[in-house]
Amino acid sequence: MFLEIKDLSVKIENKNILKSLNLNINKGEVHAIMGPNGSGKSTLANVLAGKEDYEILNGKIIFKDNDLFDLNIEERAQEGMFLAFQYPVEIPGVNITPFLHSAINSKRKRMNQDEIDNLSFAKLLKSKASDLGINIDMLKRSVNTGFSGGEKKRYEILQMSILNPDLAILDETDSGLDIDALKIVTDGVNKLKTKDNSFLIITHYQKLLDYIKPDYVHVMVNGSIVKSGGSEIAAEIEKDGFQKFQ
Amino acid sequence: MIIVNSETLNTLDSYSKNKYKYGFVTDIDSEKPRKGLNEKIIKYISSKKNEPSWLLEWRLSSFRKWKKMKEPDWANLNFPKIDYQDIYYYSAPKGFKDKPKDLSEVDPKLIETYNKLGIPLEEQKVLAGVAVDVVFDSVSVATTYKGELEKLGIIFCSIGEAIQKHPNLIKKYLGSVIPPGDHSFSALNSAVFTDGSFVYIPKNVKCPMELSTYFRINSENTGQFERTLIIADKGSYVSYLEGCTAPKRDDNQLHAANVELIALEDAEIKYSTVQNWYPGDEEGKGGIYNFVTKRGLCAGKNSKISWTQVETGSAITWKYPSCILKGDNSIGEFYSVAITNNYQQADTGTKMTHIGKNTKSKIISKGISLGKSQNTYRGEVTFLRKSDKARNYTQCDSLLVGNQCGAHTVPYIDSKNNTAVIEHEASTSKINEDQLYYCRQRGLSHEEAVSLIVNGFCKQVLQELPMEFAVEAQKLVSISLEGSVG
Amino acid sequence: MNILDNYQKNKKNIFFTENKDVQNYREKLLTIFENDRFDRKNNESLKNINLKNFFDFKYKYLVPEEISVINNYQDDNYSIVSINGQCSNFKDDKIEITKILDEDYNDFSKNNIIEKNDHFVNLNSLFLNSGFKIVIKKNNNIKIKISNIVTDDALTIFQKNNYFCEEGSSVSLIEEYENKNNSTSNILNVIKLEKNSKFNHFLIQDNSPNHNLIITSHSSCKKASTYNQKVYNFSEGYVRNFHYSKLLETNSEADLQGIFFLKDNNTSNNKTFVKHLAGECKSNQVYKGILNDRAKATYFSNTHVDQVAQKTEGYQLSKGILLSDNASYFSKPELKIYADDVKCSHGSTIGPIDENAIFYLRSRGMSKIAATKMLISSFINEELSSIDDEQMFQTIQKKLVRYLSKVK
């Protein structure tokens, strides 16, 4: 199994957010999780990434034969887990290029690969950026600083394409995007898609799934997955909302 | 034109793997008179340097002033009383009766020392476009690129040499910005200064390369009291860099330098410091006491003086590079990064005194406290009566890493002019958890993430440094954070 | 006459002289006065003031006994006229007022004072000749108005008041200082807030040029209590406002705000100091001043965050407008922080009225003087609009209009 979430219960500040959640993802699959606000979708993304604010009450997560809870945030990232944040944080003064360069090299180091040198990295970055329609000038700026909502999301996808993760989690990547930006972002995701990597797409609306076709759709309500199936579920939600699942 | 060569980068790389790589001692014979401060030693220094009698008189009168003065006590610093009689006031590598004429005459051990420090002295190996004056203990040992500078009429030499060769400039400007009686450390320096650098840039000359002085304290129990004087004549420009290191020793060593800058009409001086004196060990033992007075006078109209400092070393830092904005439309700037770790204490900042009309000043200060250290920004902005339309902008931010340290901000703002505008902002916070999470999610280790974020926090200041210094400074910032994160 | 002579001469008339501890303490203070060099440059409490006025004064001790009036109307509203720092005893189920002389001094003297090196507080302790204690009883919500009146010329009032807010109580206190006599009031307020209590303190100062007012307060807050202070200084005489707050327990708050309007040769010294001694507390220190003619002002603010005071939020703002060539303003906003998980900041601006704004208003047809006045009003608009007591709002509005009428 590539990713296996078993009976996961999580709380934060005395509030139970995830309740006995189960989810399996195989290599090459695209899964979508849909759910109303406050259902625990973002919590799931952050627990997978290893954010330290949560208390794990019960359950197990296996990722690429590792017990995920044995790995800290950066080790998970180096193992190939990538979280595209819903609200990417601004880091003033930290330039994009060296930031990403350090990130890719720390991953390569863990994989026992040679570090990528300055010049090759700059080339790689430039070509990936132009694929995503990102202006080269933007690469001279500080991480997320002063970016518009759309720019931040596009920059998340750029990082994803550079780091080439095995499992990419997209947390509400569609929120705050207009239709043109959404197209660019989803195109970028589709280009990355191979038979060896998997995607977990978290979204509130069905619109995103018109552009990225999921193999499975799960409905999450109140901290558990209440229904799973194919993309027909998304259409169902689009029509009737989450009401009938609650 | 500045090119960072790969040798330097490699050297810098190797620094980052070691906490205080500069802590070695060079085994070199030195010539020292007895410890202690008295008129005799002052006369000894003066005669060693073959000084004119007016200068000896100046030194002695400074000494008499010093005897009557108390150390300034308003800083947020705690340290045992300095025993001025337990210090050597003069130390010279043996055989330095006359300064070597060229590098072939310099003791190979010295050259090796500087190579170890990443400051190769052979001109062909020196960073392209940087002329270096090297001060070892009390004596200037080498000045590179002298010939090239001379063609432009630029004087760049040790102050000892300038006293011999350019007595009129020395007589006119020495002590004109920092009077010996200003406070006890300026009086002390005026009495016993041994060497330092002298720069004169003639009218309308833009100095084509960075001028740099590298200070090294080697001998034990030796105080370093260098004196630097930079004069930028009308319409000229110079960028000057200063670096400092010292060996690891269990005793505290005193460093009390005076730096005077004078910018005449339309002239600009940019002065950058990367201060990395030995900070003491993790228990707070040893380290340099750094009591430095730096002051610039914007004497002429449209002149500009800009101070940039990266302060990571010293057990105690007491330092306020200041600008007196006398000429109309003159500009003063102060950019500072101060990092304190373990038991270090820093009380640093600036003084901007607006005298002329339309004068402008800008202060950007970034303080980072770690370990059990105390880090204080102290700054004074004064608008005098006649400083019509003067402006100041001050921003001082502090970052705390760990809850055993302290970060303090003490600005003094005094306005006596109703057309002048001052704006001041300050903030103190801990390192942002969301930023750390974000960086680590991209695969950076906790330590790397902290270093990256802190470097980002300092960027506004670091980008003011000349390029090769900026690289060194960034590494230094990272090294200074080591061991305190986790 | 100097301090020592004054003290010797009036010793028997000063309060609590018979108490041995008090006497010993006063002897100690006297030696401090004798040995101090009165270094005005480095002692914040002395900056910009004429020492002669305060340390070499003509001392008229005998405070005439007048009966103060305490009215209780509409149930929760109390109105007090305090004459020469005195107040009669009063008691009901919500409030208890006691003359200082009827109190146990040992209990009364527990000051909790932060700053030791303050000569004016020392003078107050030395010459104490008036004051009272007010207790607001548990879970009551009341409003008090105190008018402070000094009856005679050359009278010097050394007054100490203790306020004690019992658990869950809430009080809104409006104090007015409007004195026309050639006299000095040196007042020390010690305010203690128990758990969940709240104190809204308004000080309206409007003395004539020959009256000096020195007012110092020390408030301390226990768990989840709040001390809010607003100072409105329209005085034409010297005023010193030094206010200290200690946040002793979690979730407590202190908000120290002031505005001052100075003209002619007047001087005002201001200081606020908040000491965070527990986590999750908030503080605000905001002073704004308008200075005209040859007026001088200082404002010192300080946020001190103790090592245990995690999750502190501290904010400081100091703003000054200089209307004249000869006015001067000194500000020192300090942060002293020993805890790492904090959000503290300060801002400070000093300058003339924004010329672009003046230009804008004039281009809309307003005269320069009207534009200036409008911008001054807007500068302190926030402070004025937050007043919810209609009568007080009117009072302050009137004083503002009076000040603006002198602006040219």
Side-chain angles (χ1 to χ4, degrees), chain A:
Chain A
M1 191 61 68
F2 181 70
L3 178 80
E4 183 180 5
I5 304 173
K6 225 172 159 179
D7 215 16
L8 181 68
S9 297
V10 170
K11 79 172 184 182
I12 182 168
E13 283 168 8
N14 294 323
K15 212 176 143 204
N16 293 319
I17 310 281
L18 299 182
K19 296 160 194 159
S20 299
L21 186 132
N22 290 291
L23 181 68
N24 293 330
I25 297 178
N26 288 309
K27 246 187 197 176
E29 290 176 354
V30 177
H31 288 242
I33 291 186
M34 299 183 72
N37 287 332
S39 59
K41 304 185 301 284
S42 286
T43 298
L44 177 62
N46 282 317
V47 167
L48 285 171
K51 195 170 189 201
E52 285 151 349
D53 304 348
Y54 300 96
E55 193 187 331
I56 311 294
L57 297 172
N58 187 37
K60 212 172 173 178
I61 306 176
I62 304 291
F63 175 57
K64 289 168 65 182
D65 299 327
N66 295 302
D67 181 341
L68 202 62
F69 297 141
D70 288 344
L71 305 178
N72 67 22
I73 304 170
E74 57 267 31
E75 287 164 342
R76 297 177 195 198
Q78 291 159 5
E79 281 293 330
M81 187 177 293
F82 183 90
L83 171 59
F85 286 86
Q86 186 179 1
Y87 305 109
V89 66
E90 301 194 354
I91 314 181
V94 175
N95 190 277
I96 283 174
T97 308
F99 168 72
L100 259 181
H101 193 191
S102 314
I104 193 167
N105 275 340
S106 47
K107 187 178 175 188
R108 293 177 73 95
K109 225 187 250 171
R110 190 177 175 93
M111 298 295 145
N112 288 319
Q113 292 166 330
D114 284 341
E115 292 194 3
I116 180 165
D117 66 72
N118 263 327
L119 210 63
S120 339
F121 179 73
K123 271 190 198 155
L124 176 73
L125 185 60
K126 261 189 198 167
S127 80
K128 295 280 184 192
S130 71
D131 285 354
L132 286 165
I134 290 173
N135 197 321
I136 303 297
D137 283 342
M138 195 170 137
L139 302 177
K140 292 179 186 148
R141 287 156 62 181
S142 295
V143 174
N144 294 322
T145 308
F147 288 15
S148 70
E151 281 175 326
K152 280 184 182 167
K153 296 294 167 71
R154 240 189 286 173
Y155 177 53
E156 291 292 288
I157 302 304
L158 172 65
Q159 292 183 53
M160 188 166 97
S161 66
I162 296 275
L163 296 172
N164 203 9
D166 297 326
L167 173 66
I169 305 157
L170 276 62
D171 188 7
E172 308 256 1
T173 297
D174 50 335
S175 72
L177 291 187
D178 60 32
I179 196 78
D180 292 330
L182 187 65
K183 257 189 192 149
I184 294 171
V185 165
T186 50
D187 277 355
V189 173
N190 287 328
K191 267 185 205 161
L192 274 177
K193 181 83 210 55
T194 68
K195 64 177 182 5
D196 290 323
N197 58 20
S198 311
F199 285 81
L200 178 60
I201 293 161
I202 290 169
T203 181
H204 189 86
Y205 301 105
Q206 184 250 353
K207 199 167 70 189
L208 179 71
L209 305 179
D210 291 344
Y211 297 93
I212 305 173
K213 285 281 164 241
D215 301 310
Y216 300 92
V217 175
H218 310 276
V219 181
M220 187 161 168
V221 175
N222 244 330
S224 338
I225 285 172
V226 293
K227 187 166 184 177
S228 299
S231 47
E232 74 284 353
I233 293 181
E236 219 175 293
I237 291 167
E238 179 75 349
K239 204 164 134 250
D240 304 327
F242 292 107
Q243 208 64 43
K244 68 175 192 180
F245 300 104
Q246 277 165 343

Side-chain angles (χ1 to χ4, degrees), chain C residues 321-381:
Chain C
I321 289 187
L322 304 183
L323 295 174
S324 126
D325 281 351
N326 295 309
S328 77
Y329 188 36
F330 180 89
S331 149
K332 184 181 169 199
E334 230 176 302
L335 296 170
K336 283 207 164 294
I337 294 163
Y338 296 91
D340 63 334
D341 192 1
V342 298
K343 276 187 206 148
C344 287
S345 64
H346 64 70
S348 177
T349 53
I350 302 171
I353 285 193
D354 184 354
E355 273 177 39
N356 295 327
I358 297 247
F359 176 74
Y360 181 83
L361 292 177
R362 290 177 74 185
S363 77
R364 295 290 177 268
M366 211 175 273
S367 74
K368 190 175 176 189
I369 180 85
T372 305
K373 288 177 180 177
M374 174 171 262
L375 290 169
I376 294 175
S377 307
S378 74
F379 177 70
I380 49 151
N381 180 49

Side-chain angles (χ1 to χ4, degrees), chain A residues 46 49 51-52 73-74 77-78 81-83 85 89-90 92-94 99 102-103 106 144 156 159, chain B residues 432-448 452-457 459:
Chain A
N46 282 317
K51 195 170 189 201
E52 285 151 349
I73 304 170
E74 57 267 31
Q78 291 159 5
M81 187 177 293
F82 183 90
L83 171 59
F85 286 86
V89 66
E90 301 194 354
V94 175
F99 168 72
S102 314
S106 47
N144 294 322
E156 291 292 288
Q159 292 183 53
Chain B
N432 185 318
E433 293 289 342
D434 290 337
Q435 292 176 352
L436 277 178
Y437 175 43
Y438 189 88
C439 293
R440 292 176 69 191
Q441 208 297 308
R442 298 298 182 254
L444 301 179
S445 73
H446 191 268
E447 197 154 308
E448 281 174 313
L452 203 67
I453 292 165
V454 170
N455 260 304
F457 174 76
K459 190 170 184 188

Side-chain angles (χ1 to χ4, degrees), chain B residues 198-219:
Chain B
F198 176 80
V199 176
Y200 171 79
I201 314 288
K203 269 181 204 168
N204 299 322
V205 170
K206 313 268 179 235
C207 184
M209 57 182 83
E210 311 279 343
L211 302 184
S212 168
T213 300
Y214 203 89
F215 294 103
R216 172 87 180 158
I217 300 178
N218 191 58
S219 298

